Amino acid sequence: MIETSGVIEKEQGNGFYLVTLEQPAGHQCLCRAAGKLTKFRIKLLAGDKVLVEISPYDLTRGRITYRERNVGPGGGRQGGNRPGGPRKR
């Protein structure tokens, strides 16, 4: 398996995503989310940076194995399901 990183361009429907890879530069492949991502209901959106496994036999198909956290200038989400962050004790 070849493992590389990329960015999701758009959702194709039926669980497939069009991903533009960083190595080789500009290469696009059609990817599905791995079983653990669907099991734990990890949401994948356009613009997310992901790790992709590609078979050396078919470079046009792949599997998304990891979504990197998007940490913005505010430090990301404050945690938990609570709108205000985790419970204060």
Side-chain angles (χ1 to χ4, degrees):
M1 293 299 239
I2 302 167
E3 189 170 277
T4 183
S5 60
V7 177
I8 297 177
E9 293 299 319
K10 68 178 185 175
E11 185 175 351
Q12 296 288 86
N14 204 21
F16 284 96
Y17 300 90
L18 186 65
V19 178
T20 301
L21 304 177
E22 292 180 359
Q23 194 68 19
H27 181 74
Q28 289 188 333
C29 67
L30 196 61
C31 299
R32 281 192 80 112
K36 291 283 185 178
L37 289 171
T38 54
K39 177 182 176 183
F40 292 110
R41 296 186 180 139
I42 306 296
K43 301 295 181 200
L44 298 171
L45 301 173
D48 284 346
K49 191 169 182 182
V50 292
L51 284 180
V52 178
E53 285 184 352
I54 303 171
S55 169
Y57 301 107
D58 187 5
L59 299 176
T60 62
R61 298 288 178 125
R63 179 184 312 124
I64 299 172
T65 57
Y66 183 76
R67 179 181 64 89
E68 293 184 12
R69 291 189 173 97
N70 296 331
V71 179
R77 207 168 129 224
Q78 289 296 322
N81 293 337
R82 301 174 180 278
R87 184 184 306 180
K88 308 276 192 255
R89 292 185 189 218

